[in-house]
Amino acid sequence: MDFGLLDAFSLPFMARALGTVAVLAVAAGIVGIGISFRELEFVSDGLVHAVFPGLVIGAAVGGTAGLLPGAVVAALAAAVLFTVLGAEDSGRDAAIAVVLTGLFSLGVVLVSRQQGYVSQLQELLFGRLLTVTELQLWQIVAVSLIAVTLMALTLRAQLFRAFDPAGFEAAGFGPRRTDLALISSIALLTVAGVQALGVLMVVALLTVPMAVSRLVSRRFSLLIPIAILVPLLAGSLGLWLAFDWSVGTGATVSAGAVVVLVLLAIYGIAVLGGGAARAVRGVRGRLGRPGGIGRRGPSTARRAG
Amino acid sequence: MSYFTRAVIELILLGLLSGIAGTLIVLRRRSFFAVALSHATFPGGVVFAVAGYNLLIGQALFAVLLVLIMTLLARVPGQGRQVASGVVLSFGFALGALLASLNSGLGVPVEALLVGSPLSVTDSDLAAAAAVLLLTLVVAVAAGRRILFHTFDPVGFEAAGFRSWPVELAVTGIIAASVVVAMPAVGAVLGVAVLIGPAAAARVLAPRVQWIPPLAASLGVAAGLAGLWASRAFDIAAGGSIGLAMSAVYVLALLLRRIADAIRPLSPPQPSL
């Protein structure tokens, strides 16, 4: 270990990467609650792929500066599309898969018409966490802020809809509007994360933090704080590991990949730890049943309140 | 055989495979599973490319490993149903990206692994696809009715005295094997496109459930060949072009259905699916 933690993060590009990870962690922790309780992991994956053609078109029109506008337009268009698809329930997941691969194919086809096809493709797919510029960081902050605001403004409605869809409609709320707000919020978070982590790995940021949080905590009020802390920890640890590894061996290490792997390692620990804790407590029939997953949320919430 | 002939044969085999594997994915709602699985075979391909072995074997081994992980994670209480797929998917890409970045000098065909290259399909890839197709057909003939029963009424299936796990195992095996043999042609990201697209389109169009597999197979073959032709005619990436063709078939099917539904009220009501 040649560098200490503080030494490494005093380098400007490392500090920017850490800042990026911190902003994304906060946003992912807050938006993640909507993804997790509405079981929108697949829709999130679809949104991630849908952003890809937007990035390609944006880059073709305006270079690096065009990435963000292209991604935002594609993400919001996809958000509307997925909201409409979500309305008809039969065959919904197949429809998502077809839209997902179709839009991604569109991106591939568009990229393949350009010069430097392979390197550009890899850059968009895997991101470049260590070369995030000052401008990009501010863009990420701005987009994340909009995503979080959208989620925070509709949070009560989102939770009502997640836990009691029938009651939600009976109380006179519009499910379409709430869905559109949630999916747009996820889409914007995707846009924020995609420049740092790339199209293929940003889905980890959307789904894993809240999954860890729900495994670790049974108190509703702790879900968001834990879901923010987990990627923050994974981000700083992962960045430091990747840096130390690159410097130590002289190899190119994809920092984004290390961050995601550390995040997944934390998830693995949470799964194993949860299993051990349950074994110690003795299996209490209701909680131990895999089928009872969806029903657990509301009772947890009531206990916390 | 020329490389173009091989690509044509591969796409015909995959199109036919979509008739059964795709139908199973669509009717049993296993799309996210299939997507996660195809994405996650990426690191297996990278590892075997670095080691210089056959890519398809690496992807198959990794598919088995990941199905096991997913099955175990699905049993963890207190999380949503889709979390296991999301976790496995992220794991595959992160591991693949890390390994590819560590071995960037070794010429790992990252692009081919991700979006496929139908024109560089080998004879062993063709043999693998044909073998999986044959095996799938045997299973479908032997246990098709039982799988259909379990798909539409799992509770009734168990009440009738059948056990669920052999069906689950057979279906998961068929889906995983089909996803793996689709990899050389269309890659880890678009691998599911050739399986799901035609079957989803067939499901929209078919008047009866029995019509879905043959319809999906014909649409799959037609769209695959159309995609290959477009890639040659317009000089675009073949994997992307085929993926786009598959989605186009689905969109066309939806439009056709809309038009048919708009016309139908004029004619006497018909029993539908």
Side-chain angles (χ1 to χ4, degrees):
Chain A
M1 302 272 160
D2 306 300
F3 278 83
L5 201 55
L6 284 177
D7 292 334
F9 288 118
S10 62
L11 293 165
F13 73 94
M14 285 293 281
R16 272 200 298 275
L18 187 65
T20 309
V21 168
V23 172
L24 292 175
V26 173
I30 296 170
V31 177
I33 201 158
I35 301 175
S36 179
F37 280 103
R38 291 291 306 281
E39 304 198 329
L40 289 179
E41 283 88 354
F42 195 25
V43 172
S44 308
D45 191 40
L47 286 170
V48 171
H49 286 76
V51 168
F52 181 53
L55 287 172
V56 175
I57 296 172
V61 173
T64 318
L67 285 175
L68 185 80
V72 170
V73 171
L76 292 179
V80 174
L81 195 60
F82 281 115
T83 311
V84 174
L85 279 178
E88 40 184 308
D89 198 46
S90 66
R92 174 182 150 194
D93 70 325
I96 295 172
V98 174
V99 171
L100 178 164
T101 49
L103 289 172
F104 194 84
S105 304
L106 182 65
V108 172
V109 165
L110 291 172
V111 176
S112 73
R113 295 285 295 170
Q114 294 168 13
Q115 301 286 319
Y117 161 41
V118 174
S119 71
Q120 200 187 2
L121 182 69
Q122 287 198 28
E123 200 171 286
L124 292 176
L125 293 183
F126 296 120
R128 292 190 305 181
L129 186 53
L130 294 184
T131 56
V132 171
T133 60
E134 193 94 8
L135 176 67
Q136 277 178 315
L137 180 54
W138 284 114
Q139 288 178 342
I140 290 171
V141 171
V143 176
S144 302
L145 205 61
I146 302 173
V148 167
T149 311
L150 207 54
M151 187 69 198
L153 285 179
T154 58
L155 188 62
R156 291 177 73 87
Q158 301 293 357
L159 291 176
F160 190 2
R161 171 140 172 69
F163 289 113
D164 184 4
F168 180 79
E169 285 196 46
F173 289 97
R176 276 290 176 92
R177 247 186 27 215
T178 319
D179 286 0
L180 186 61
L182 174 58
I183 295 180
S184 305
S185 168
I186 302 171
L188 288 172
L189 175 60
T190 304
V191 171
V194 92
Q195 295 192 41
L197 287 175
V199 173
L200 299 179
M201 288 188 291
V202 74
V203 71
L205 185 75
L206 297 175
T207 57
V208 180
M210 191 49 77
V212 175
S213 188
R214 283 180 73 177
L215 285 174
V216 174
S217 164
R218 288 168 55 211
R219 295 185 55 155
F220 195 80
S221 54
L222 287 180
L223 285 180
I224 290 181
I226 295 177
I228 292 174
L229 280 178
V230 165
L232 204 56
L233 180 70
S236 22
L237 196 62
L239 277 173
W240 180 57
L241 272 177
F243 180 77
D244 200 62
W245 194 351
S246 309
V247 171
T249 60
T252 17
V253 179
S254 162
V258 177
V259 168
V260 172
L261 287 175
V262 173
L263 186 59
L264 290 167
I266 296 177
Y267 172 79
I269 294 169
V271 167
L272 294 177
R278 265 193 310 283
V280 171
R281 270 206 310 274
V283 183
R284 277 189 271 164
R286 192 173 58 87
L287 291 177
R289 222 180 53 225
I293 293 157
R295 302 256 163 250
R296 260 191 72 193
S299 60
T300 325
R302 231 173 280 133
R303 230 177 290 134
Chain B
M1 262 192 292
S2 77
Y3 64 94
F4 195 74
T5 321
R6 278 205 208 94
V8 169
I9 297 176
E10 169 85 356
L11 287 170
I12 291 176
L13 289 173
L14 292 181
L16 294 174
L17 197 55
S18 140
I20 299 167
T23 305
L24 285 176
I25 296 173
V26 170
L27 291 182
R28 296 176 69 94
R29 303 182 181 214
R30 299 293 294 273
S31 295
F32 195 30
F33 169 78
V35 168
L37 191 62
S38 77
H39 286 15
T41 54
F42 174 53
V46 175
V47 171
F48 274 58
V50 170
Y53 295 122
N54 187 324
L55 299 180
L56 203 56
I57 298 175
Q59 288 168 327
L61 285 178
F62 235 78
V64 172
L65 180 71
L66 293 168
V67 168
L68 282 178
I69 296 179
M70 238 189 278
T71 316
L72 289 177
L73 285 182
R75 293 172 165 273
V76 176
Q79 50 182 9
R81 281 167 300 172
Q82 300 183 349
V83 169
S85 301
V87 165
V88 166
L89 186 155
S90 324
F91 174 67
F93 277 136
L95 191 60
L98 179 65
L99 293 173
S101 76
L102 285 176
N103 297 288
S104 53
L106 291 179
V108 177
V110 172
E111 178 235 339
L113 284 173
L114 286 174
V115 298
S117 52
L119 296 177
S120 56
V121 168
T122 64
D123 287 337
S124 62
D125 294 337
L126 288 182
V132 169
L133 178 61
L134 200 65
L135 206 68
T136 306
L137 280 172
V138 170
V139 173
V141 169
R145 291 179 73 87
R146 204 169 276 198
I147 292 175
L148 210 58
F149 184 7
H150 184 262
T151 303
F152 284 99
D153 185 4
V155 179
F157 185 81
E158 293 216 353
F162 297 116
R163 272 178 302 188
S164 285
W165 69 263
V167 175
E168 295 281 2
L169 189 69
V171 170
T172 307
I174 288 178
I175 295 175
S178 311
V179 165
V180 170
V181 294
M183 291 295 116
V186 275
V189 180
L190 302 175
V192 287
V194 283
L195 298 176
I196 300 180
R203 185 183 168 281
V204 172
L205 293 176
R208 300 175 67 96
V209 78
Q210 287 86 340
W211 289 28
I212 297 179
L215 202 55
S218 1
L219 288 176
V221 172
L225 296 180
L228 191 62
W229 171 81
S231 132
R232 222 160 111 130
F234 303 111
D235 188 25
I236 50 181
S241 158
I242 292 165
L244 212 50
M246 297 293 167
S247 301
V249 166
Y250 177 70
V251 173
L252 281 179
L254 280 183
L255 285 178
L256 268 177
R257 184 67 196 233
R258 278 282 159 80
I259 294 168
D261 283 349
I263 297 168
R264 188 166 297 168
L266 300 174
S267 58
Q270 291 166 354
S272 66
L273 197 72

